[in-house]
Amino acid sequence: MKIYPIETGNFKLDGGAMFGVVPKVIWQRTNPADSNNLIDMSMRCMLIEDGNRLILIDNGTGNKQSDKFFGYYYFFGGFSLDSSLAKHGFHRDDITDIFLTHLHFDHCGGSIQWNKNKTGYEPAFKNAKFWTNKNHWKWAVEPNIREKASFLKENINPMESSGQLNFVNLPTNDFVQNSELGFDILFADGHTEKQMIPHIQYQGKTIVFTADLLPTVGHIPLPYVASYDTRPLLSMDEKIKFLNMAADKEFVLFLEHDAANELCTVKHTEKGVRLNQTYKFNEVFN
């Protein structure tokens, strides 16, 4: 097995929205804001090369939305999915599986693209299966008022009509071992219904793709929960259980949204679980 970080783009979000009830004077120490109160965010995905399978975990926003839509998010940095894949010798047509932690636009928008004449939509990965789960799919296609702006039908419906949509088996508790994708999955419901958090055994370590369970290192303290979470009290409960396990078992955390840090580890302290160290991917894995 070989794992590669795939940078699909950087964008900006309101810092207050990303940190909920935590005052700016505190959260800006780790996530400094610009004059518009916006903080830097990444859309860092993971590519897993495992035998005949090439699995991409999440895929960013894609490029089919309007200029007005993209104007809200101030994209910067020059990264793209295609250039990141090419850096490692791959093309999107090589991808066999797209694993989507959840179906918010910044995680799944790259799944679908305009067709050649821009008269409709088509899968951006013609040879891949799209993986979600039935509970989250229902949540996305029948969105609640709070999340409706994040579940865009043009990102979601074409997956089903393409015939490439597949569902991961749901657990009896909150954890599936050795899923259809070959890795373990933690299911979390605080951010959105049945978000999936992959746990991958790699080079003697457990690497966890944290998605929106832990967006950045600045979100490690328990009350630091984004306003985007639909069930913030549940998010805190899920986060403390996960972080305690991450500290106990020395997980390496792969950060999807942290523009400054690719990986981190955590440790137990008198104040609870806190950041241990941050790393570049190639500082930990060869």
Side-chain angles (χ1 to χ4, degrees):
M1 178 189 290
K2 184 71 174 175
I3 291 179
Y4 312 88
I6 299 296
E7 300 285 355
T8 69
N10 291 334
F11 67 117
K12 293 177 180 286
L13 283 179
D14 185 87
M18 281 303 300
F19 285 94
V21 299
V22 179
K24 179 179 179 180
V25 68
I26 299 176
W27 60 251
Q28 69 176 353
R29 297 170 188 168
T30 56
N31 297 73
D34 65 16
S35 59
N36 292 317
N37 209 48
L38 301 174
I39 63 172
D40 293 350
M41 302 280 286
S42 71
M43 292 180 288
R44 182 176 300 111
C45 305
M46 180 188 287
L47 186 67
I48 304 172
E49 184 182 14
D50 189 13
N52 293 326
R53 299 184 88 168
L54 195 60
I55 304 167
L56 181 64
I57 301 178
D58 287 350
N59 52 48
T61 61
N63 57 14
K64 65 184 176 300
Q65 305 305 134
S66 68
D67 290 342
K68 180 180 180 181
F69 178 91
F70 285 127
Y72 296 137
Y73 299 103
Y74 302 91
F75 287 82
F76 68 96
F79 294 119
S80 74
L81 173 63
D82 288 318
S83 62
S84 292
L85 289 174
K87 176 182 176 182
H88 301 293
F90 299 108
H91 185 273
R92 63 175 62 222
D93 291 349
D94 301 325
I95 306 297
T96 62
D97 300 89
I98 301 290
F99 180 88
L100 300 166
T101 60
H102 59 298
L103 297 171
H104 289 167
F105 69 86
D106 55 320
H107 296 258
C108 78
S111 301
I112 304 299
Q113 64 188 7
W114 284 109
N115 62 18
K116 185 176 181 180
N117 298 318
K118 289 195 172 184
T119 57
Y121 301 108
E122 64 184 13
F125 302 88
K126 64 181 184 180
N127 299 315
K129 296 179 178 179
F130 296 110
W131 292 92
T132 181
N133 65 78
K134 287 184 178 179
N135 284 28
H136 184 66
W137 179 261
K138 180 175 173 60
W139 192 265
V141 298
E142 301 173 10
N144 60 74
I145 295 173
R146 185 181 181 123
E147 285 184 280
K148 189 173 183 179
S150 293
F151 290 129
L152 305 181
K153 61 183 180 181
E154 59 268 31
N155 289 337
I156 297 170
N157 294 343
M159 290 188 208
E160 184 173 36
S161 60
S162 73
Q164 296 172 224
L165 180 65
N166 291 262
F167 295 119
V168 171
N169 289 328
L170 289 165
T172 54
N173 46 33
D174 61 358
F175 200 80
V176 165
Q177 293 183 309
N178 194 26
S179 71
E180 295 90 333
L181 281 298
F183 46 72
D184 299 341
I185 303 171
L186 172 68
F187 287 76
D189 297 311
H191 178 61
T192 188
E193 177 75 7
K194 291 293 178 287
Q195 180 183 198
M196 299 191 290
I197 307 297
H199 289 51
I200 301 138
Q201 301 306 311
Y202 186 56
Q203 295 186 9
K205 301 179 184 295
T206 299
I207 181 169
V208 181
F209 188 94
T210 59
D212 283 336
L213 179 62
L214 188 73
T216 74
V217 296
H219 288 85
I220 292 173
L222 186 58
Y224 291 46
V225 172
S227 296
Y228 299 108
D229 286 17
T230 59
R231 305 175 181 111
L233 291 176
L234 181 55
S235 288
M236 286 190 280
D237 184 54
E238 291 172 339
K239 191 166 76 170
I240 194 168
K241 291 177 182 177
F242 170 71
L243 288 174
N244 276 315
M245 184 179 294
D248 289 343
K249 297 189 175 183
E250 299 181 339
F251 290 167
V252 177
L253 307 183
F254 185 104
L255 301 164
E256 184 168 14
H257 283 316
D258 194 317
N261 303 292
E262 294 181 356
L263 306 176
C264 76
T265 55
V266 294
K267 62 183 179 181
H268 293 290
T269 74
E270 292 180 355
K271 295 182 178 181
V273 176
R274 290 293 186 269
L275 177 67
N276 182 23
Q277 288 185 279
T278 61
Y279 306 91
K280 294 291 186 183
F281 190 88
N282 60 12
E283 292 175 337
V284 181
F285 302 106
N286 51 47

